[in-house]
Amino acid sequence: MKSPDFTPSESMPIIRIAPICNGKVYVIPHSVSPKMDIPFMEQTDIVPAKASNKLARQLMKKYASQISTSEQPRFCVRYNSPVHKGESIYLYILPLKNEKEIHFENGEFIIADDITTDATLYSHYLQKESDLLSMAAELWNDYL
């Protein structure tokens, strides 16, 4: 399956889920941008502060054919968008036991530090999240 189409609009909240495994973050090329990003991202008109866990689980179900894990996404942090003023981003971590539990076309696991090393390859969102994802990737085993 190709990467999900995603073009953010205005100031609606965004749910993002970053798969991590063996100290690495999973990224894919997005069809609306040549930049790499995490595969799970969806804008919502619901206020996630009240329903973000439910929304994250629904997003995972949407891509069930690309994931073979029983692990659930875990909330990591809420931050303001580096792209659209007033937009809230809710970042989740999806810990995977092995790298074969996820499969998107042209997807790959990268070391989180690679995001800052060559920022031109990665989305603005991923650049903003790189430090958090680096820490989460290091603690990956603790999530399981």
Side-chain angles (χ1 to χ4, degrees):
M1 177 176 190
K2 292 212 182 247
S3 63
D5 290 332
F6 181 78
T7 307
S9 61
E10 299 299 314
S11 60
M12 294 171 61
I14 296 173
I15 302 283
R16 290 175 51 83
I17 303 172
I20 58 171
C21 186
N22 295 323
K24 297 181 261 181
V25 179
Y26 191 77
V27 296
I28 60 172
H30 275 266
S31 58
V32 295
S33 164
K35 303 211 178 213
M36 301 291 277
D37 202 355
I38 57 178
F40 310 110
M41 180 164 53
E42 187 165 286
Q43 200 157 29
T44 177
D45 57 357
I46 299 171
V47 179
K50 295 181 180 177
S52 61
N53 289 336
K54 181 179 178 184
L55 292 169
R57 285 190 302 275
Q58 288 173 349
L59 181 56
M60 294 301 301
K61 285 181 186 175
K62 195 174 182 180
Y63 297 102
S65 63
Q66 282 76 38
I67 310 162
S68 55
T69 182
S70 59
E71 293 296 327
Q72 293 297 311
R74 285 136 169 128
F75 178 72
C76 183
V77 68
R78 185 197 72 75
Y79 68 91
N80 294 323
S81 170
V83 180
H84 296 97
K85 188 174 183 175
E87 185 176 67
S88 293
I89 311 297
Y90 292 78
L91 178 63
Y92 284 76
I93 301 299
L94 177 65
L96 301 173
K97 291 178 182 150
N98 73 61
E99 294 182 9
K100 294 181 181 179
E101 291 181 321
I102 189 166
H103 35 85
F104 279 86
E105 187 175 322
N106 299 317
E108 64 181 297
F109 280 93
I110 61 163
I111 298 167
D113 292 342
D114 290 349
I115 299 165
T116 54
T117 303
D118 196 352
T120 61
L121 297 177
Y122 302 99
S123 75
H124 295 292
Y125 296 103
L126 204 53
Q127 291 173 37
K128 174 94 176 182
E129 297 160 350
S130 65
D131 288 339
L132 291 168
L133 292 174
S134 181
M135 286 187 289
E138 287 176 25
L139 298 171
W140 158 79
N141 247 350
D142 295 342
Y143 284 101
L144 298 173

